Amino acid sequence: MTDITPDKQTPRAESPLREAWGMFLRNHAAVAALVVLVLICFTAVLGPWLYPTDPFEMVWAPFSPPGDNGFLLGTDYLGRDLLAMIINGARVSLLIGLAAALVSIFIGVTVGALAGFYRGWVEEVLMRITEFFQVLPTLLFSMVLVALFGASLPMITFAIGVVSWTAVARITRAEFLRIRELEFVMASRASGVPNAKLMFGVILPNALPPIIVQSALMVGSAILFEAGLSFLGLTDPNVVSWGQIIGSNRQYILDASYTVTLPGLAIFITVLAISLVGDGLNDALNPKLRQR
Amino acid sequence: MTDTPLLSVENLSVRFEIKRGGWGKKSYLYAVDDVSFQVPKGQTLGIVGESGSGKTTAALAVARLVPAHQGVARLGEDDILSKEGEDLRRMRRRVQFIFQDPYSSLNPRKRVADIVREPLDSLSDKSEAEKKKIVDDLFEAVGLRPEQQRLFPHQFSGGQRQRIGIARALATQPELIICDEAVSALDVAVQAQILNLLRRLQAQFGLTYLFISHDLGVVQHMCDSIAVMYMGKIVEQADRLSLFNNPQHPYTRALLSAVPRVDHPGQPSRNRVLIPGDPPDPNNLPPGCRFASRCPIAKPDCSQREPLPQSIGTTHSAACHYVGTDALDAIGMAD
Amino acid sequence: MALLEVENLRIELSTRDGTAPVIDDLSFHLDAGETLSFVGESGCGKSMTALALMGLLPERIGRIASGAIRFDGEDLTKASPARLREIRGNDISMIFQEPMTSLNPVFTIGEQIAEVLRAHQGLSRQAAWDHAVELIDAVRIPNPKGRAGDYPFQMSGGQRQRAMIAMALACKPKILIADEPTTALDVTVQAQIFDLLRDLRAQTGTSIILITHDMGAVAEMAERMIVMYAGRKAELGPVAQIINHARHPYTQGLISCVPHLHDVLTEDRPELFEVPGIVPSLRDFGRDECLFASRCAHVTDQCRSARPPEKSFEGGQIADCWHAEAM
């Protein structure tokens, strides 16, 4: 056994966050996924400057295979540079994924927190509403929203967010129900802490771990959702997204399969990376796995 | 004990609504049923009882952490139960709570200095410098080092966490501190440290304790007077010596005789008062004495007629029809 | 020959900081029909000893590093998993602290007891059920025929613990390990369970290993006890003798730091005896010194220089303390 000298010094103040980060670093798959994800984000942000080809411009003969005339990923049916499209598409896909996740977190956490904290009729009403949204056919509902109000980026984001907040609401409510009975919440009440602060200053920080994990996974599913919508043509024609590339090239899948598979691969890698990071977060934030 | 009581509770009841499915009639579970007690200033009243006796609920009601259904609780001259808003906040400053579980009673996301400071932030209008000074003094009073203030709860042992909980309870200089099973989750050696600390602090700050516990040994050590609860009722109430040396209620006798002792190792307690079975269903209580179903001296009458507290001397009362009769001799205590 | 003999048992637990000996050089024996009690604070290794006896150490985390556990002459540390399964339940069985979580909530208690009988004794369905009802009666649950059809959640804590005992005794084990069996129960129910265990032992001759933190329970239930501290034995011997004259300062502390009930209470209320500090952390386990030294009032340089040897006294009392004679 390695001999460890006991330190009688006061230990460093080790915040729960720092400790969770330590746990995260031990999950190699998650760390690798995080690196990939950071690279994808860099590409999304800086890519258009580093590779300034216009994704809408016809630059070469249609259906040029990857590598042809220096176009690394080839061109699509209109002769547009696929690499430029995927780089620019990353922006839109990630942006919609993040924004839609934020929308659903905002709705879900608010609804779940109020229901779990106040219980009684507030809980009844809010959870019935949640159930109503849960049983809606999500794809159909968001298609209706986009079809009615126009296929702009904010509208698509909102449509995705508004159909996917129910899971967050249920998780938040469950966590609130559990945590509000813990003694430290009782102690804060005995200390006269007002309700709003109890909800968002005392209970919510302790309810965050599963919400964070769920949110990470939701970014992934929002990207998939957006891809689905744009595949069906419900997309802003002025921007390019991964799903839209697949959708517009879908007729040529047999002749030029790379025009569909390459953006598909981009979606796959991104969503997989997000899932792995979410998994790592779950392990890192789950107090059962952490030793006391 | 002629001092005016600091805390005086009269006819306190706490009930919880039970859902019986559908829109049927609401029914209620009386966790605390018509309970009265007093705690003189600077003293400790112990409430003992088994699980489900309502002792913790009574304490939570006094601290305004669960709503009371009926009754009066006075702190000095002020009625605790009717306070709202600013008055309630002022009252909370005077009544603080120490919780059972040292692991769940501290917010894991906060530094311990902030945890101890929380009551000051919410309940007082002291300046930052004053608060800092108070927190420093409290850490010293409960035996923690100043440099530990920056740490998070999970970096402390159970005993140290309970010290932090005590410091938090002392922050607003309360008059009454309610200790709800404050040492039951601790190992015995640490339990002794905390019990000694509580008694030292009581002498130092003139504190009054309402001490809730299931451990008769601890109650015997800590309390000046004791109330024994069973199924929401106080069955016996007495000063420390009378209760332990001359218990009058059959339940108190059974409880005392059930505690394993170290005095006579190798043999089971003599004169054990056997009470068979389990407590009755709290949703469906008998009209009379709630202990009748397990009582060794119960007569048919007992489950029909409710016994009222009867005085035995000035500081002792028991709610049993047979107080002071021969019937009790059948369950005589050791020696 | 003793029913169970444990020799120089060492159990290692792997942690983030390396391996730690959670049981360090422990030797004891258990006679047939005897009650032996393990006492100590949480984390001292009481429960780990029980798990080792059952062959149930947490996989990949804990392992028996050296030593022998001889049950009826057979070394359990070398037994195959299949043989251990056979011994568990048949010859050694165990009851736990929380009877709610150790019973399966989706089966009735009758079914669960009958299942044990069918698995270990090959009884038919009907015979097993009938025997289960008899066992439920033996642990004094009223109306055994009716209650056998109850699910665990329909019973009180005390009755669940009785059901656990019935299940543990189903195959007439030679050793019953009770790990804090009454810690979650009320004191009047605890008294009933202790009475039950005492009577069952008298009827069946089962040896009992009682793991507890309550010196009162030890005094009432056991003939001999072992005081554990930081994975090591601090003191071992007859209960009455140790309570009257403990030779290890930790045992003395454990006995006098608890406010016990006494036959006659007096006005006198001295401060409780304090054992300062807390138990050492796992990474300090296994050091070649007295692990209690930092909390001990009688500490000398010798205590910090080497692990104290066993010192034997009359009556089979053994204390692992450099200054045991002077205590």
Side-chain angles (χ1 to χ4, degrees), chain C residues 142-154:
Chain C
N143 182 21
K145 270 212 178 75
R147 299 310 297 273
D150 277 3
Y151 289 92
F153 74 90
Q154 292 171 304

Side-chain angles (χ1 to χ4, degrees), chain B residues 49-51 157 160 163 187-193 195-197 199-200 214-224 240-241 244-245 251 254-270 272 274-279 294 334-335, chain C residues 40-43 46 156-159 185-192 194-195 198 213-220 222 239-241 243-244 250 254-255 257-279 295:
Chain B
E50 299 181 282
S51 49
S157 68
Q160 287 176 318
R163 287 174 195 264
D187 272 321
V188 285
V190 179
Q191 168 179 302
Q193 298 167 7
L195 290 178
N196 283 343
L197 173 67
R199 288 191 67 191
R200 271 199 295 276
H214 70 281
D215 185 328
L216 286 147
V218 168
V219 165
Q220 166 269 118
H221 180 76
M222 291 296 288
C223 303
D224 302 293
R240 174 173 174 265
L241 288 187
F244 284 94
N245 289 335
Y251 176 65
L255 207 53
L256 287 172
S257 76
V259 179
R261 317 234 173 165
V262 293
D263 302 28
H264 320 283
Q267 52 192 14
S269 321
R270 299 149 304 152
R272 169 159 307 153
L274 280 177
I275 49 171
D278 296 299
R294 301 171 77 194
D335 306 318
Chain C
E41 293 176 89
S42 40
K46 315 177 291 246
S156 69
Q159 283 177 334
L185 303 176
D186 282 326
V187 56
T188 55
V189 182
Q190 163 175 294
Q192 297 169 8
F194 281 167
D195 282 346
R198 236 190 326 265
H213 64 278
D214 181 354
M215 202 57 92
V218 176
E220 200 166 285
V239 169
Q241 194 175 331
I243 287 180
N244 289 332
Y250 180 62
L254 267 191
I255 295 171
C257 70
V258 180
H260 293 286
L261 281 185
H262 294 286
D263 289 346
V264 177
L265 193 65
T266 59
E267 203 56 73
D268 193 31
R269 263 194 287 178
E271 281 225 322
L272 290 171
F273 180 83
E274 273 186 43
V275 182
I278 56 166
V279 290
R295 304 174 75 186

Side-chain angles (χ1 to χ4, degrees), chain C:
Chain C
M1 192 182 66
L3 179 63
L4 180 78
E5 268 180 284
V6 172
E7 265 173 41
N8 308 101
L9 182 68
R10 181 183 169 95
I11 298 173
E12 286 178 354
L13 208 63
S14 32
T15 70
R16 236 198 265 188
D17 306 323
T19 56
V22 282
I23 297 293
D24 194 355
D25 198 18
L26 175 70
S27 303
F28 68 93
H29 73 272
L30 175 73
D31 290 322
E34 180 190 34
T35 300
L36 173 70
S37 195
F38 280 83
V39 209
E41 293 176 89
S42 40
C44 70
K46 315 177 291 246
S47 295
M48 207 52 81
T49 313
L51 292 178
L53 294 181
M54 294 288 287
L56 289 174
L57 286 174
E59 262 177 73
R60 289 209 296 275
I61 298 171
R63 67 184 192 96
I64 296 176
S66 61
I69 300 172
R70 260 188 291 281
F71 170 71
D72 255 352
E74 178 184 359
D75 190 349
L76 299 187
T77 59
K78 298 194 173 65
S80 68
R83 174 72 187 130
L84 280 176
R85 265 198 302 280
E86 201 175 286
I87 289 175
R88 275 202 299 273
N90 261 332
D91 295 317
I92 307 180
S93 56
M94 186 160 174
I95 53 178
F96 299 89
Q97 175 174 344
E98 204 1 279
M100 188 69 212
T101 49
S102 31
L103 286 167
N104 189 337
V106 299
F107 293 107
T108 67
I109 60 152
E111 283 166 352
Q112 294 186 52
I113 299 172
E115 181 54 38
V116 174
L117 290 164
R118 274 152 50 85
H120 283 285
Q121 301 199 328
L123 294 185
S124 73
R125 196 171 285 271
Q126 187 58 44
W129 181 265
D130 291 345
H131 194 176
V133 172
E134 279 168 34
L135 283 164
I136 293 169
D137 190 35
V139 294
R140 299 182 199 146
I141 295 177
N143 182 21
K145 270 212 178 75
R147 299 310 297 273
D150 277 3
Y151 289 92
F153 74 90
Q154 292 171 304
M155 316 184 88
S156 69
Q159 283 177 334
R160 282 197 290 265
Q161 194 58 284
R162 284 163 194 271
M164 272 304 296
I165 294 173
M167 202 184 305
L169 293 179
C171 299
K172 303 193 180 64
K174 299 198 177 80
I175 301 176
L176 175 67
I177 302 175
D179 187 359
E180 303 266 6
T182 57
T183 307
L185 303 176
D186 282 326
V187 56
T188 55
V189 182
Q190 163 175 294
Q192 297 169 8
I193 297 288
F194 281 167
D195 282 346
L196 175 68
L197 284 175
R198 236 190 326 265
D199 293 352
L200 290 173
R201 191 187 76 166
Q203 287 163 22
T204 61
T206 302
S207 304
I208 297 178
I209 293 180
L210 175 71
I211 295 167
T212 179
H213 64 278
D214 181 354
M215 202 57 92
V218 176
E220 200 166 285
M221 290 294 293
E223 283 93 38
R224 289 191 306 128
M225 68 180 191
I226 300 177
V227 181
M228 297 286 293
Y229 187 77
R232 297 175 185 174
K233 171 187 83 217
E235 190 157 9
L236 177 158
V239 169
Q241 194 175 331
I242 289 183
I243 287 180
N244 289 332
H245 187 179
R247 295 280 185 173
H248 195 290
Y250 180 62
T251 317
Q252 294 178 344
L254 267 191
I255 295 171
S256 52
C257 70
V258 180
H260 293 286
L261 281 185
H262 294 286
D263 289 346
V264 177
L265 193 65
T266 59
E267 203 56 73
D268 193 31
R269 263 194 287 178
E271 281 225 322
L272 290 171
F273 180 83
E274 273 186 43
V275 182
I278 56 166
V279 290
S281 75
L282 265 186
R283 58 181 177 184
D284 290 334
F285 279 39
R287 298 163 74 88
D288 186 21
E289 60 177 32
C290 176
L291 292 176
F292 187 61
S294 61
R295 304 174 75 186
C296 183
H298 309 277
V299 61
T300 60
D301 287 343
Q302 196 175 24
C303 306
R304 295 213 173 85
S305 64
R307 180 172 171 174
E310 285 191 347
K311 299 200 174 169
S312 298
F313 298 88
E314 55 180 327
Q317 186 175 359
I318 301 171
D320 290 26
C321 171
W322 284 108
H323 308 297
E325 296 92 344
M327 292 294 156

